[in-house]
Amino acid sequence: MMAIEFKQLKSSDMFIMFKIINKIGLNEIKNQLEPKTIEKLVDGFKGKGKAKDNESLIYSVGLSVTIEMANVIIGNLPKCEDEIYTLLSRVSGKSKKEISELDMVTFTEYIVEFVKKDEFKDFTKVALKLFN
């Protein structure tokens, strides 16, 4: 794997990140975490006898929520393709065309490395305060 270096995130990058978050379906994900939705899942697992104890119930509900969240993200990801190319272009110094032509493994590595950036983690923590 080649070393991937990104520029420091700037305030102007925040706006494109908000576009990505919006298009990825944050509200749909939030709906999966609503108490009523969780209660339905719990009742469903209890009623079908699939959860024999609290630990297996927690595991089953958690897995169901995780799968549904992944489904929302994967389903909405194509909606923000251009924004992802733009963001990675801005922080990598490569053109959008270069980013869009990366092979799948390298492109995935770019996304993973970007998400692992301390600034991205800090941004996420601060942005989540909007929902409290």
Side-chain angles (χ1 to χ4, degrees):
M1 178 179 117
M2 64 182 215
I4 300 170
E5 297 207 19
F6 293 119
K7 299 174 185 171
Q8 185 171 358
L9 293 173
K10 298 179 182 175
S11 59
S12 59
D13 298 319
M14 180 177 69
F15 300 102
I16 195 143
M17 290 170 67
F18 279 135
K19 282 184 180 181
I20 292 169
I21 289 168
N22 182 48
K23 286 185 176 184
I24 232 163
L26 191 60
N27 282 331
E28 293 173 69
I29 291 170
K30 186 182 126 211
N31 291 340
Q32 295 305 313
L33 301 173
E34 292 285 330
K36 287 181 183 178
T37 305
I38 302 296
E39 286 175 29
K40 280 184 183 178
L41 283 170
V42 169
D43 291 344
F45 281 110
K46 281 182 176 178
K48 294 178 183 173
K50 290 184 178 181
K52 296 179 179 26
D53 57 33
N54 281 343
E55 189 174 317
S56 63
L57 177 64
I58 291 168
Y59 174 80
S60 297
V61 170
L63 183 61
S64 292
V65 170
T66 302
I67 290 170
E68 187 55 37
M69 287 170 47
N71 186 42
V72 168
I73 292 169
I74 290 167
N76 289 329
L77 212 48
K79 294 177 185 175
C80 49
E81 178 181 7
D82 189 58
E83 287 84 357
I84 292 170
Y85 292 154
T86 299
L87 181 61
L88 290 176
S89 171
R90 289 169 101 170
V91 297
S92 71
K94 294 186 178 293
S95 70
K96 280 175 59 174
K97 184 174 181 355
E98 288 174 301
I99 296 292
S100 71
E101 292 176 350
L102 291 171
D103 63 81
M104 284 190 342
V105 171
T106 305
F107 181 72
T108 304
E109 288 173 348
Y110 267 67
I111 291 182
V112 168
E113 288 302 313
F114 180 80
V115 172
K116 287 169 56 177
K117 284 177 67 61
D118 287 337
E119 299 133 278
F120 180 80
K121 293 174 190 173
D122 293 342
F123 164 79
T124 305
K125 287 177 190 173
V126 172
L128 286 175
K129 289 180 182 179
L130 292 171
F131 301 100
N132 289 334

